[in-house]
Amino acid sequence: MGEDELVMDPWGSAQSTDYDRIITQFGLTPLNGAQMPNATKLHRRGIVFAHRDVDQILEAHRTAQPFGVLTGLMPSGQMHLGHSMVIEQAKWFQGLGGDVTIAVADLESQATRGVSLEKGRSIALQEYLSHYAALGLDPEKTNVYFQSTRPVVQRLGFQLGKRTNLNEFEAIYGFTGETNLAHVQAPLVQVGDILHPQLDAYGGLRPVVVPVGVDQDPHLRLTRGLASKTNWFNLKESASGGVMISLSIHDENATVFGQLPNGRVDQEKVTSVFDKVVDAVASLGFSDIMSSPKQGHVRVPSATRRDTHGIRTALLHLERSLGGMGLLAPSSTYHHFAVGMTGDKMSSSQPKTTLFLRDDLATVEKKIKRAFSGGQSTVEEHRRLGGNPDVDVAYQYMMYFFEEDDAFLAELNASFRSGALLAGEMKQHCIEAATRWMSELQEKRDETAHLVDTFLAEDSR
Ligand code: TRP
């Protein structure tokens, strides 16, 4: 690893905001939010800024095929504004037709923050789910479960752990010899969280998207790598056009794929597998399929990039019918972090850096008044030089959380930059917007309190 490379630590307090560099280094794809269907303010304003494979989700939406959304919550401390961003996105995906699964990371919280499972449960319900309901997530289309009481999640993590090692964990998370093993186990449980909705008992094979802050990307890199390593069929866009399918032979499928223990190959078995691949692809309507078991591949010359998702899905179904897990690598979207109110990182353990969703209006007002300002130190200077809305917390909080009206926001931005709008006036606008938003949240929270239990999946009641 080069010295200037970022290592992201999902548990750490440091946070890189060099988003261009993050995109390049980790191979994310920039997201054009304005082009999203029913774009939310987070999309319109470039706050959700990158993704991996979100196309397969949008394609599922376009063709009215099922897709899932998975996110998780760490039950420790109070829910704050930053946490609401993922819920806004989950709600948006829900509106596009996705089914939502939410993991309560009670095992992770116990292991890394010392929160008991019991305490984790009550925090999840009282702090988080009550606000999810208030924020408009539909409990009928949402399943919340606990890591500790869904054994298949842990089993899946354990099973996939076989396909990684400490070197990979060092590369992805920057772990060293001193790393606590709870931090080694937690990512594997999270792998189970992310992949298990594809199991037949939890909705079956379908694309699943995970909306996260970039600090969680290491988990997605790990999960995507592990899912791909289990796959029985490789799919490649071939240089000469079209798609090429080959077998990925490992312990689990050696027998099915006709690999004899003495190193010889049972040609009949191989042929039968290739015939099944041809059938699976033919059922999608392709007629130009070229099967060459001897060379070890099947070519579909007329398949385009658009077709790869359908072909991959058909092969995963085939894999499942032959005894494999048939796991699809998850999609993900990434959002920028809102700055903390002090100008530092937003953190639950530093109450001054954020607004908690249960803060009363007087506290909200006080925190905004004291928030870091992008204005100049005197009025004269401000009028002359103008302010910087990019670092002005009051402006940023309207943009991220409180103000839906793009035109009004643009006006505030311009007049602050020109010096016409003073820092104190910007804060006043923010206080008004925040008061409206928080009062409405409070009202909704009371109205929807009776719905909280209906979020819980059957195994979690
Ligand atoms: N690790 C996440 C956090 O610290 C919580 C979490 C657990 C999660 N499982 C997940 C997030 C799956 C996204 C997807 O907040």
Side-chain angles (χ1 to χ4, degrees), residues 326-339:
L327 298 172
L328 181 62
S331 305
S332 47
T333 60
Y334 302 91
H335 57 81
H336 288 174
F337 293 102
V339 281

Side-chain angles (χ1 to χ4, degrees), residues 70-74 103 105 108 147 190 193-194 210 212 216:
L70 182 122
T71 182
L73 68 94
M74 179 78 111
E108 182 177 0
Q147 286 178 333
Q190 188 151 337
D193 286 331
I194 294 172
V210 189
V212 289
Q216 298 290 309

Side-chain angles (χ1 to χ4, degrees), residues 196-215:
H196 89 283
Q198 295 179 43
L199 302 181
D200 290 335
Y202 297 94
L205 179 58
R206 67 200 184 292
V208 173
V209 62
V210 189
V212 289
V214 268
D215 68 324

Side-chain angles (χ1 to χ4, degrees), residues 264-382:
R264 305 191 47 165
V265 175
D266 180 340
Q267 274 309 333
E268 239 171 80
K269 270 198 177 168
V270 175
T271 307
S272 116
V273 170
F274 272 75
D275 288 348
K276 285 179 175 145
V277 170
V278 170
D279 287 348
V281 178
S283 73
L284 299 171
F286 293 97
S287 53
D288 61 337
I289 306 164
M290 293 151 66
S291 176
S292 338
K294 290 249 159 60
Q295 273 120 331
H297 61 240
V298 172
R299 291 213 318 115
V300 193
S302 68
T304 63
R305 167 164 287 180
R306 254 225 145 122
D307 298 321
T308 52
H309 178 62
I311 296 176
R312 180 169 286 120
T313 306
L315 294 172
L316 291 171
H317 278 298
L318 173 60
E319 179 187 325
R320 289 183 183 204
S321 76
L322 295 171
M325 292 201 271
L327 298 172
L328 181 62
S331 305
S332 47
T333 60
Y334 302 91
H335 57 81
H336 288 174
F337 293 102
V339 281
M341 304 200 78
T342 50
D344 300 325
K345 190 196 167 192
M346 188 188 280
S347 155
S348 309
S349 56
Q350 307 283 328
K352 285 184 190 143
T353 64
T354 185
L355 293 179
F356 296 105
L357 298 188
R358 286 189 193 277
D359 278 349
D360 57 41
L361 296 178
T363 309
V364 170
E365 180 168 350
K366 196 167 72 191
K367 284 186 181 174
I368 295 173
K369 280 198 170 135
R370 289 182 187 165
F372 184 82
S373 163
Q376 305 292 347
S377 43
T378 67
V379 172
E380 293 69 43
E381 252 180 69
H382 189 87

Side-chain angles (χ1 to χ4, degrees), residues 10-11 70-75 83 86 101-106 108 112-113 145 147 186 189-194 210-212 215-216 219-220:
W11 301 277
L70 182 122
T71 182
L73 68 94
M74 179 78 111
H83 297 127
V86 163
T101 308
I102 298 179
V104 177
D106 59 347
E108 182 177 0
T112 64
R113 313 252 170 114
Y145 72 95
Q147 286 178 333
V189 178
Q190 188 151 337
V191 167
D193 286 331
I194 294 172
V210 189
V212 289
D215 68 324
Q216 298 290 309
H219 297 310
L220 280 141

Side-chain angles (χ1 to χ4, degrees), residues 16 20 41 65 102 112 123 129 145 153 185 190 208 219 230 237 246 254 261 276 293 304 321 330 381 401 403 437 449:
S16 172
D20 289 339
K41 66 177 181 302
Q65 296 293 309
I102 298 179
T112 64
I123 294 177
L129 301 192
Y145 72 95
V153 164
Q185 294 193 50
Q190 188 151 337
V208 173
H219 297 310
T230 67
E237 282 167 61
S246 57
K276 285 179 175 145
T304 63
S321 76
E381 252 180 69
F401 306 114
E403 186 51 64
W437 195 88

